Amino acid sequence: MFDQTEYEGVDFSEAEILEEQLSHLAFRNCRFRGADFAAIILEGCRFENCDFSSASLNGITARRCAFLNCSFRFADCFAASFEDCKMTGSVFDTTNCTAMQLLSGDWSYTYLAEMDFNKRKLTQVNFTGADLSRCKFEKAVLRDCNFSEANLNGVSFQGADLRGSVFAQVDFLSLNLKNAKIDLNQAVAIAESLGAVYTP
């Protein structure tokens, strides 16, 4: 199906991707609305300003790929695995992310509001500036992640392991941190934040 290495403005909507693996291909301003990528392996591919709305991405494995400013509205990402991927500016809105795995990578400035990441292992993920409002990370392992400047309004980290993660410029008052595992630096940051709020 893909006989080129680069594609610009091509409409692949409703296409059934039959290849078992795609490697080092580049797509810019392409449409994959309703396309079926089920269980495919993506290696080193780059997608810029692409539309994956309502696409089937369940069971895919994406390794060292870039999805920049892409839309995944209403897409099915059940059991999808993103390994060391760059997702900057992408939107996951009303997306099925059940059992989706994030293995390191850059998810800065992505829209992931209201997603359920309970009991997931998400280590060394960069969530800088991401919209994570009302997400659930209960009993998740979130070691060495970066939540700086992220929108964490209404987020539940209850029972999560947050040790080593960075929470610069974050409103701790909006978080549920009950029974969360935190390190000394995080404890100091929380105490300073609460002290700043309540200092007469």
Side-chain angles (χ1 to χ4, degrees), residues 138-193:
E138 297 179 4
K139 297 182 180 179
V141 178
L142 299 162
R143 300 292 299 270
D144 302 314
C145 293
N146 190 347
F147 293 95
S148 298
E149 301 179 28
N151 180 356
L152 300 177
N153 183 47
V155 170
S156 177
F157 289 114
Q158 183 169 335
D161 186 350
L162 303 173
R163 290 173 293 181
S165 291
V166 178
F167 288 87
Q169 300 183 48
V170 165
D171 179 12
F172 288 102
L173 288 176
S174 67
L175 307 182
N176 176 4
L177 294 169
K178 184 178 180 181
N179 297 325
K181 296 179 180 178
I182 61 176
D183 58 31
L184 179 58
N185 289 335
Q186 293 165 346
V188 171
I190 293 171
E192 290 177 346
S193 175

Side-chain angles (χ1 to χ4, degrees), residues 10-14 27-35 37 47-55 57 68-75 91:
V10 181
D11 191 348
F12 296 101
S13 296
E14 307 297 332
F27 301 87
R28 297 180 184 85
N29 303 306
C30 292
R31 289 163 58 90
F32 295 96
R33 295 174 66 90
F37 285 84
F47 301 86
E48 295 182 47
N49 299 306
C50 292
D51 187 357
F52 292 90
S53 297
S54 301
L57 298 154
L68 308 178
N69 300 309
C70 294
S71 172
F72 293 88
R73 288 184 172 90
F74 302 105
V91 175

